[in-house]
Amino acid sequence: MEPIALSAALASFTDLWSPRIVTAVNDYDVRVAKVEGEHVWHVHDHTDEFFLVLDGELHISLREPDGERTVVLPKGSLFTVARGTEHKPYAPIPTEILVLEPTGTLTVGDRHDDVPDHVDATTGHALA
Amino acid sequence: MEPIALSAALASFTDLWSPRIVTAVNDYDVRVAKVEGEHVWHVHDHTDEFFLVLDGELHISLREPDGERTVVLPKGSLFTVARGTEHKPYAPIPTEILVLEPTGTLTVGDRHDDVPDHVDATTGHALA
């Protein structure tokens, strides 16, 4: 492979909540996505999910054993959602994120609320 | 866990070629490192290795079946070194990188040239 510039990868599409796979690392995919507004409550029963905010600001609401909370990730911050934790991402402004999870992981998890039209239920798309 | 700012993580240490583990994702670690100058030729026989350049510029020399080449990663670009590929990172200027690999992966791989004093042979250190 050749090096990939995040800026070029992100410039290659405009869809929101529709991740592109930028590289594979063993049986994991590194994806980038443009997001704004609400995603959907969902849970990955068997895997953690890593988020890095490249630009903008990502909020992730979490339903944890002790109750519900929302973590706020400004640009340049990272967070791992633990497997089995219901969560809902939300971006108050146009935001770009890098996500890491096992290849084949669905954006809406193993269980989820009704998926709104603006959310792409996908295991990630190839870069154009 | 709480969100981690890359800037804070990187401000917490000064050692070169001595990665800090910022989070775990299943049985993988996300590490950040400050690097400058030459690392060492080494190979990971059983795992790919993902690099994202947060600041500066990283060169990675690769010994591939077709010969040796060097890829150049400016700030904001990424690259995955395929398992079994001998490689040597080099940074011409002070550089900050994010690395992803399975927990326990040694910075100098499974086989390597003599490790110079300025290179830390480690599976990553906890954040202070």
Side-chain angles (χ1 to χ4, degrees):
Chain A
M1 72 174 279
E2 297 298 326
I4 292 172
L6 287 173
S7 57
L10 286 160
S12 72
F13 66 99
T14 56
D15 315 81
L16 298 180
W17 300 113
S18 185
R20 263 59 179 175
I21 299 168
V22 289
T23 190
V25 187
N26 301 324
D27 51 352
Y28 280 66
D29 284 342
V30 178
R31 306 173 184 173
V32 295
K34 294 180 172 178
V35 304
E36 187 177 7
E38 304 254 342
H39 199 253
V40 62
W41 280 106
H42 67 283
V43 61
H44 304 282
D45 287 324
H46 307 294
T47 181
D48 301 341
E49 188 173 34
F50 170 82
F51 294 86
L52 171 64
V53 176
L54 303 170
D55 200 16
E57 182 176 286
L58 186 70
H59 298 210
I60 307 175
S61 294
L62 304 159
R63 289 177 178 153
E64 295 177 325
D66 289 346
E68 193 171 308
R69 67 171 175 141
T70 298
V71 292
V72 176
L73 285 72
K75 174 179 177 173
S77 58
L78 60 91
F79 186 78
T80 301
V81 176
R83 69 182 69 188
T85 302
E86 275 192 281
H87 58 286
K88 185 180 74 168
Y90 163 73
I93 56 174
T95 293
E96 297 173 336
I97 59 176
L98 181 149
V99 180
L100 171 79
E101 51 208 332
T103 301
T105 300
L106 260 176
T107 48
V108 296
D110 301 302
R111 293 176 283 120
H112 53 77
D113 282 356
D114 289 344
V115 178
D117 287 344
H118 70 276
V119 169
D120 185 11
T122 176
T123 56
H125 302 278
L127 269 186
Chain B
M1 72 174 280
E2 297 297 326
I4 292 173
L6 287 172
S7 56
L10 287 159
S12 72
F13 66 99
T14 56
D15 314 81
L16 298 179
W17 300 113
S18 185
R20 263 57 179 177
I21 299 168
V22 289
T23 189
V25 186
N26 301 324
D27 52 351
Y28 280 67
D29 284 343
V30 178
R31 307 173 183 172
V32 294
K34 295 181 171 178
V35 303
E36 187 176 9
E38 304 254 341
H39 199 253
V40 62
W41 280 106
H42 68 282
V43 60
H44 304 283
D45 287 324
H46 307 293
T47 181
D48 300 341
E49 188 171 36
F50 170 82
F51 294 86
L52 171 65
V53 176
L54 303 171
D55 199 16
E57 182 175 286
L58 186 70
H59 298 210
I60 307 175
S61 294
L62 304 160
R63 290 177 177 154
E64 295 178 325
D66 290 346
E68 192 171 310
R69 66 171 176 140
T70 297
V71 292
V72 175
L73 285 72
K75 174 179 177 174
S77 58
L78 61 91
F79 186 78
T80 300
V81 175
R83 69 182 70 190
T85 302
E86 274 193 283
H87 59 285
K88 186 181 72 167
Y90 163 71
I93 56 174
T95 293
E96 297 172 338
I97 60 175
L98 180 150
V99 180
L100 170 79
E101 51 207 332
T103 300
T105 301
L106 261 177
T107 49
V108 296
D110 300 303
R111 293 176 283 120
H112 53 78
D113 281 356
D114 288 344
V115 178
D117 287 344
H118 71 276
V119 168
D120 185 12
T122 176
T123 56
H125 302 277
L127 269 186

